[in-house]
Amino acid sequence: MIRKDILIATGEYSLGMLLEDHERWLRVNEIKKILFIDKKLAYYRVLPTGITATKHDKMVVEDMYLKLKYDQWGINRMRAYHFILSKLKKKEKIPDLVLNEYYKYPFRVKSLVFALKTNINPRISTLLLKFNKNNVINFFKSKMN
């Protein structure tokens, strides 16, 4: 159950997302506390031909985006770091939705942002920032903004 004024205050569903209901509940949670009921109230069926199976990759990307956007305490910091790092290691494109939100994420790992903006290996960027921090930061300062 939810009050009508809360639904109005949180706006419309994000129609471009598969996880539009999840995103909506996160917006509700920013306004009001959501209580947890430790009891099965509904069941969710997953079929091989359903959206959960056929659109899995997009759902993973949207889930990471939502974790970054609504994380107020940094609990998804390492999850996001490893998500992006695994894409880099596999030489896969990092989805713009996640990348743009990661740049705004207050708990982002600075050496990873540095690596992404300068297009160098994240391990090398960590070493550069650790051992020659002032020179490296001054040199790449324009790229970091």
Side-chain angles (χ1 to χ4, degrees):
M1 303 264 276
I2 187 167
R3 292 188 352 226
K4 182 179 176 181
D5 62 317
I6 302 298
L7 286 177
I8 292 169
T10 57
E12 297 181 3
Y13 278 101
S14 300
L15 298 177
M17 295 186 73
L18 289 174
L19 301 178
E20 77 281 352
D21 54 340
H22 185 180
E23 199 263 343
R24 178 68 173 270
W25 285 110
L26 290 169
R27 283 189 275 149
V28 168
N29 193 51
E30 287 186 320
I31 296 172
K32 290 288 185 181
K33 184 176 181 180
I34 296 175
L35 299 176
F36 175 72
I37 300 172
D38 194 13
K39 187 179 193 184
K40 286 184 183 179
L41 301 174
Y43 292 91
Y44 185 78
R45 183 174 58 166
V46 178
L47 299 172
T49 56
I51 271 196
T52 304
T54 59
K55 304 281 185 179
H56 179 265
D57 292 345
K58 184 173 182 187
M59 292 173 77
V60 168
V61 168
E62 287 182 4
D63 182 57
M64 181 52 61
Y65 163 75
L66 293 173
K67 282 178 170 56
L68 292 169
K69 184 174 181 178
Y70 292 98
D71 184 3
Q72 298 175 353
W73 301 283
I75 60 173
N76 292 303
R77 181 177 193 250
M78 294 314 292
R79 184 175 288 130
Y81 174 81
H82 289 293
F83 177 85
I84 292 171
L85 200 59
S86 72
K87 297 274 185 198
L88 288 173
K89 284 181 181 177
K90 296 176 192 171
K91 299 190 184 330
E92 294 177 3
K93 183 181 181 326
I94 300 161
D96 290 337
L97 185 69
V98 171
L99 193 58
N100 293 333
E101 199 59 39
Y102 189 73
Y103 288 146
K104 296 185 276 185
Y105 184 56
F107 308 102
R108 66 191 173 273
V109 177
K110 290 182 178 137
S111 62
L112 182 57
V113 172
F114 181 77
L116 291 166
K117 297 236 179 184
T118 58
N119 202 26
I120 62 173
N121 184 304
R123 289 184 181 162
I124 293 171
S125 73
T126 302
L127 291 172
L128 286 171
L129 289 172
K130 188 175 183 179
F131 295 113
N132 202 4
K133 193 172 187 174
N134 292 333
N135 292 339
V136 172
I137 287 175
N138 290 334
F139 182 74
F140 290 107
K141 195 169 185 178
S142 62
K143 291 188 178 202
M144 295 293 285
N145 295 328

